Amino acid sequence: MIYILFAILCGISNVLSRSVNFVLSKKIGMYQSTLFNYIFGLSGSFLLLLISGETFKLLASSSYGAPWFVYAGGLLGVVVVTMLSFLSSKVSSFYLTLLLFVGQLFTGIIIDALSTGKISFYQVIGGALVVLGLTYNLYIDKINSKTVSA
């Protein structure tokens, strides 16, 4: 039950974060809001590192033995945050959340395939069903918006 609660709280914080980033990008600019997002994220992460007592591991050479693409996560994060700030004005929060979920799902499938050499048939089918549901919902919304405006 606690994991379900964590998942719900993460989803809420994700939508709130996107909304705050969108408003901030309207006030000071998209790139500046992304910079502030990362400054505060880095500060929070550093604070958690200090609280956890794991700072001694930063000096261990074994801490840096990950493959090169793991270190590209920060750059990818900057791209995602900037893109979401841009898209927030063009796509509803509901659809943006669904698109983010589908992107994370398929990225997870790709990472699993690269790391294990196996592709989960059920994950691919689940992702395809979510994409089909999203497409159908967009189609229904488009039809309803035409009948309301006509």
Side-chain angles (χ1 to χ4, degrees), residues 58-85:
L58 288 175
L59 301 175
S61 62
S62 62
S63 295
Y64 302 101
W68 67 271
F69 58 85
V70 172
Y71 299 108
L75 178 63
L76 184 63
V78 169
V79 170
V80 168
V81 168
T82 304
M83 205 167 51
L84 288 175
S85 293

Side-chain angles (χ1 to χ4, degrees), residues 44 50 91:
L50 291 176
V91 180

Side-chain angles (χ1 to χ4, degrees), residues 9 23 29-31 39 43 46 55 93 99 124 127-129 139:
L9 290 175
V23 171
M30 186 169 41
Y31 298 115
I39 288 171
S43 302
F46 188 69
T55 54
S93 186
L99 288 171
V124 173
L129 288 174
Y139 175 72

Side-chain angles (χ1 to χ4, degrees), residues 80-136:
V80 168
V81 168
T82 304
M83 205 167 51
L84 288 175
S85 293
F86 173 74
L87 288 174
S88 291
S89 65
K90 303 191 181 331
V91 180
S92 76
S93 186
F94 174 72
Y95 288 124
L96 206 51
T97 301
L98 284 178
L99 288 171
L100 190 61
F101 169 73
V102 169
Q104 289 174 340
L105 177 67
F106 282 111
T107 301
I109 291 170
I110 291 168
I111 290 172
D112 285 347
L114 291 174
S115 63
T116 64
K118 299 176 187 175
I119 295 178
S120 171
F121 176 72
Y122 296 110
Q123 287 178 339
V124 173
I125 293 297
L129 288 174
V130 170
V131 170
L132 285 173
L134 175 63
T135 305
Y136 178 72

